[in-house]
Amino acid sequence: KLKKTKFIGGRRIMEFQFLKIEKNDLEKLMEIEKEAFPLCIQENVEVYKERIKVFPEGTYGIWLEGEIIAYISSELWEYQEIYEEERFSLSHSIDKYHKINGEELYISSFAIKKKYSSKGYGKIIFEQFLLKMQEEFKIKSSILLVSEEWVKAQRIYLIFGYEQLKKIKDFFKNDYEEKFDGIIMRKNMK
């Protein structure tokens, strides 16, 4: 049953269901991708097909009351103190870097439908995803890349203990072709 809502002290508490993304979910995932990211940095459906083929346990759809409202995609990497910038390229092949026994979780994409943003759901979803991945895999750290323009996302990552490692100059663009640095952030999860 997808609908799980609790009431505690008269307040409605939402419960999210995490389901592995399947091929038949890709259309809905791509709707979220298109809504969440500028056209020039959107990844295409072929990228997600490869991700769920290579690492089906790494891409989850988050459901609320029968609707997919968000997704998170990830890879497992062999830990390195510093990675070459090319590794963070948008639409890179997961096959190139993913190692099933990797101890570093790379969050390759995380997006929420706009009508569900600014409700605190991002923090809840992100925390639950990290816990789920820690239970299933021997993760010692997590790394991600975020645009300097995405202040709300950065706030979530800082709350969960991510620290800035490095900036990649002019990595991201917005719909107006303005360029923004990418910020590589890491969290120790031991």
Side-chain angles (χ1 to χ4, degrees):
K1 191 174 180 183
L2 292 179
K3 188 174 181 180
K4 296 181 183 176
T5 306
K6 287 184 182 177
F7 290 88
I8 299 175
R11 186 169 174 213
R12 186 175 180 192
I13 305 296
M14 303 307 221
E15 285 192 36
F16 302 99
Q17 187 171 28
F18 287 70
L19 298 173
K20 292 176 191 168
I21 289 288
E22 309 269 337
K23 283 187 180 179
N24 60 337
D25 299 318
L26 287 173
E27 185 178 326
K28 296 289 184 191
L29 182 147
M30 293 310 297
E31 288 173 12
I32 298 170
E33 175 84 9
K34 289 174 182 167
E35 184 180 300
F37 299 111
L39 180 62
C40 57
I41 63 168
Q42 290 173 17
E43 296 181 295
N44 67 47
V45 72
E46 296 305 316
V47 170
Y48 289 99
K49 283 181 183 175
E50 181 189 26
R51 287 178 182 165
I52 62 174
K53 178 182 175 198
V54 173
F55 186 39
E57 303 87 357
T59 302
Y60 281 87
I62 295 80
W63 295 80
L64 178 65
E65 299 179 337
E67 176 185 8
I68 185 169
I69 67 159
Y71 72 87
I72 299 182
S73 189
S74 65
E75 305 170 18
L76 295 175
W77 290 355
E78 289 181 358
Y79 179 87
Q80 293 179 20
E81 199 61 36
I82 297 175
Y83 296 103
E84 65 280 0
E85 290 180 7
E86 153 195 326
R87 185 174 281 230
F88 295 94
S89 297
L90 297 174
S91 301
H92 71 268
S93 173
I94 185 176
D95 223 12
K96 189 172 181 180
Y97 303 114
H98 176 74
K99 305 290 182 213
I100 197 62
N101 294 321
E103 295 181 328
E104 179 136 68
L105 177 69
Y106 171 56
I107 311 285
S108 53
S109 193
F110 175 29
I112 300 175
K113 283 186 176 181
K114 284 187 180 168
K115 74 178 187 177
Y116 294 100
S117 66
S118 300
K119 296 179 183 284
Y121 294 173
K123 285 190 280 193
I124 296 166
I125 291 167
F126 195 72
E127 179 180 38
Q128 292 304 307
F129 179 75
L130 290 178
L131 291 171
K132 179 180 263 315
M133 296 306 280
Q134 276 185 290
E135 288 172 6
E136 292 184 36
F137 301 96
K138 294 179 176 150
I139 298 166
K140 293 185 178 175
S141 61
S142 175
I143 196 163
L144 53 82
L145 177 71
V146 63
S147 173
E148 67 179 340
E149 183 183 36
W150 304 336
V151 177
K152 286 182 188 177
Q154 289 176 50
R155 236 181 275 136
I156 290 172
Y157 305 140
L158 289 169
I159 287 168
F160 287 104
Y162 284 79
E163 297 176 356
Q164 182 176 321
L165 281 182
K166 178 181 178 178
K167 285 189 176 185
I168 302 176
K169 183 144 182 66
D170 297 337
F171 185 89
F172 290 100
K173 291 183 198 172
N174 64 17
D175 287 329
Y176 307 104
E177 296 296 317
E178 297 171 307
K179 294 180 181 179
F180 297 92
D181 293 348
I183 302 170
I184 298 172
M185 301 179 83
R186 175 179 277 149
K187 171 189 171 114
N188 184 335
M189 298 177 74
K190 293 178 190 174

